[in-house]
Structure formats: structure tokens, C-alpha cells
Amino acid sequence: MSWIPFKITQPKKQIVPKTVERDFEREYGKLQQLEEQTRRLQKDMKKSADADLAMSKSAVKISLDLLSNPLCEQDQDFLNMVTALDTAMKRMDAFNQEKVNQIQKTVIEPLKKFGSVFPSLNMAVKRREQALQDYRRLQAKVEKYEEKEKTGPVLAKLHQAREELRPVREDFEAKNKQLLDEMPRFYGSRLGYFQPSFESLIRAQVVYYSEMHKIFGDLTQQLDQPGHSDEQREQENEAKLSELRALSIVADD
């Protein structure tokens, strides 16, 4: 017959009330959700900031490419138009960079710092779980000796098991109480922590788009030809495009 290693069963005694365990799971579940939301928001904010910078940098590059176009050497009006566009794009890029820098400092970095707390929290929960397993193991060991016939050796082992159990039980209860006290406080602190960041984000966007309204308003005034409606410009463009299509080099086979 093969040897089967001795395994301590789970204790019969309910060492953690079900209501306490439910409270713990509920509070920790809220923090796990908060951790995921914080990580996702930080990632999305970083992607948005990178996309904003790429957009304004691309706009500046386009205006510079237009300035190097041979048409600018041949047509003063076109040169003036592209120069105005280039000035507007550079102003837009400067304000955009300022906006992104502010968002990085007041939103993305605070999100990163807030998220850095969760590894320590998760480690505390793991330590609590390990303490609970030790508690259950030693409680089962005590129960095992309590069920045996009360001989001298059994009583000695029972006394030793109870002595081993006491500090382990106290350690678990301390860890459990600390987490049950601090997890709701940590979750509740998110409002006061993030509110200034989100207010800063809104202000940065308001300032940026207010400046964009001014920049493109100025550009519109410089580019608008008096007496030309949008419909007239569209008709002129269609007429010129028809002339291009009539050239033999672009005619259909």
C-alpha cells in the first residue's frame, strides 16, 4: 500500500464570518475596478496627447511643404496665403504643445502616481490571504487534537497547537481589520484626488480651443476674398478641375 502524505483538513469552525468576508470581497472588488479604470484612463490620455501633438506637427509640416512649392515663387497671392497658413499652424502647434504639457503635468502624472499605489495594496491583500490560510491550517490542527482522547501526549500537543494558533490568529485579525478600515478610505479619496486634475483638463481644453477660434478667425480674415461666396469658390474650383481633366495627359484611355 502506497504512503499517503498527511493533509490537514479545513477547520470546522467558521473563523471568518460570512458577512465580514463579503464586506472584504466587495471593498476589494471596488478597488480592483478602480485600478483597471485608472490604468485605462492613463493609457487613453497618453494616446490622446500623442495624437494631438502628431496632428499639430503634421499641420506645420504641410504648411512648410506648401511654402517650398514652386507656385509660391510664381504667385505672390498664393505665397501670402500659404505664409498666413504657416503662421497660423505654428501658433496652433505652440498652444497645442502648451496644452499637452499641462495635461501631462496635471492629469497624466497624477494618474500614474495614483496607479503606483495598487501594487502595494495587492501585496497587502495577498499577505492577508496567506495569514488566513495559516489561520485555517492551525485551527484545523487544534480541532484535530480536541477531538482525540485526552491523553497526556494529546493534551501536550493540543496546548502546543493552541500556542501556535494564537499569534497567527492575531496576525490575521490585524491584517484583516487594517484592510477593512483602509480600503473604503482609499476608495473614497479618489474624488478629492482626481477632481483638481479633471478641472485642469477642462480648463486646458477651454483655453486651447478659445485660442484656436482666434487663430483661425484671423486666418479666415486674411484668406477671404471680398465678394466671393463659398458657392462661387466651389464653382471656380470645378471649372479649373474640368480644364485639367480635358488635358490629354489625364484623359481616360
Side-chain angles (χ1 to χ4, degrees):
M1 183 176 178
S2 60
W3 177 75
I4 301 176
F6 175 71
K7 181 179 180 181
I8 297 176
T9 58
Q10 290 293 314
K12 297 177 181 178
K13 178 183 176 182
Q14 183 72 39
I15 60 177
V16 182
K18 291 183 179 179
T19 54
V20 173
E21 199 63 28
R22 282 198 298 268
D23 289 345
F24 183 88
E25 290 174 359
R26 182 187 66 250
E27 295 302 328
Y28 186 46
K30 287 159 62 176
L31 291 180
Q32 286 178 304
Q33 185 180 34
L34 179 60
E35 179 182 15
E36 175 59 27
Q37 291 171 338
T38 302
R39 179 167 50 244
R40 191 185 313 124
L41 182 57
Q42 180 189 346
K43 181 179 179 181
D44 290 344
M45 288 300 304
K46 180 67 166 58
K47 288 172 62 178
S48 175
D50 290 344
D52 280 353
L53 284 178
M55 178 275 297
S56 61
K57 297 298 181 188
S58 295
V60 171
K61 185 177 186 306
I62 289 172
S63 65
L64 288 174
D65 289 344
L66 287 173
L67 279 175
S68 63
N69 191 296
L71 282 174
C72 287
E73 300 176 2
Q74 303 170 9
D75 190 321
Q76 185 61 42
D77 290 339
F78 184 67
L79 175 60
N80 294 339
M81 183 185 302
V82 173
T83 300
L85 174 66
D86 182 59
T87 300
M89 294 303 97
K90 286 176 179 176
R91 289 175 64 194
M92 178 185 73
D93 184 47
F95 280 111
N96 193 35
Q97 182 68 61
E98 184 176 338
K99 178 196 71 173
V100 169
N101 288 343
Q102 183 176 352
I103 291 175
Q104 177 69 34
K105 181 179 179 181
T106 61
V107 182
I108 297 177
E109 286 299 325
L111 280 169
K112 184 177 179 181
K113 291 177 181 178
F114 191 82
S116 68
V117 176
F118 287 101
S120 297
L121 169 66
N122 293 330
M123 184 57 65
V125 172
K126 288 182 180 179
R127 287 195 292 266
R128 183 256 190 195
E129 180 62 27
Q130 182 59 54
L132 177 58
Q133 294 303 319
D134 292 341
Y135 184 7
R136 285 172 174 163
R137 175 176 58 81
L138 290 173
Q139 178 63 38
K141 185 177 180 180
V142 167
E143 292 175 0
K144 169 178 172 287
Y145 289 122
E146 286 176 338
E147 293 171 356
K148 288 181 176 293
E149 185 180 352
K150 300 301 186 288
T151 63
V154 169
L155 289 174
K157 290 180 179 179
L158 176 59
H159 175 75
Q160 181 181 356
R162 285 173 174 169
E163 288 298 306
E164 292 175 358
L165 173 63
R166 181 173 51 80
V168 171
R169 180 180 63 244
E170 292 173 353
D171 179 56
F172 166 75
E173 289 175 348
K175 286 182 169 62
N176 189 58
K177 183 179 185 304
Q178 182 182 27
L179 283 167
L180 283 174
D181 288 345
E182 294 184 1
M183 286 193 298
R185 288 164 52 193
F186 179 77
Y187 185 77
S189 71
R190 74 198 188 285
L191 298 176
Y193 183 86
F194 284 123
Q195 185 172 343
S197 292
F198 295 148
E199 288 178 353
S200 178
L201 172 63
I202 294 170
R203 284 195 297 269
Q205 296 286 9
V206 169
V207 169
Y208 173 74
Y209 285 106
S210 296
E211 292 297 335
M212 292 307 99
H213 179 74
K214 296 176 184 177
I215 290 171
F216 285 96
D218 293 344
L219 181 61
T220 300
Q221 292 179 0
Q222 295 179 64
L223 299 184
D224 271 351
Q225 299 179 26
H228 282 67
S229 65
D230 290 340
E231 184 178 355
Q232 287 175 318
R233 292 192 185 92
E234 185 176 350
Q235 290 174 353
E236 290 177 0
N237 288 339
E238 284 297 328
K240 293 174 182 177
L241 186 59
S242 296
E243 293 176 5
L244 291 174
R245 286 172 179 161
L247 297 175
S248 60
I249 59 174
V250 296
D252 294 335
D253 293 336

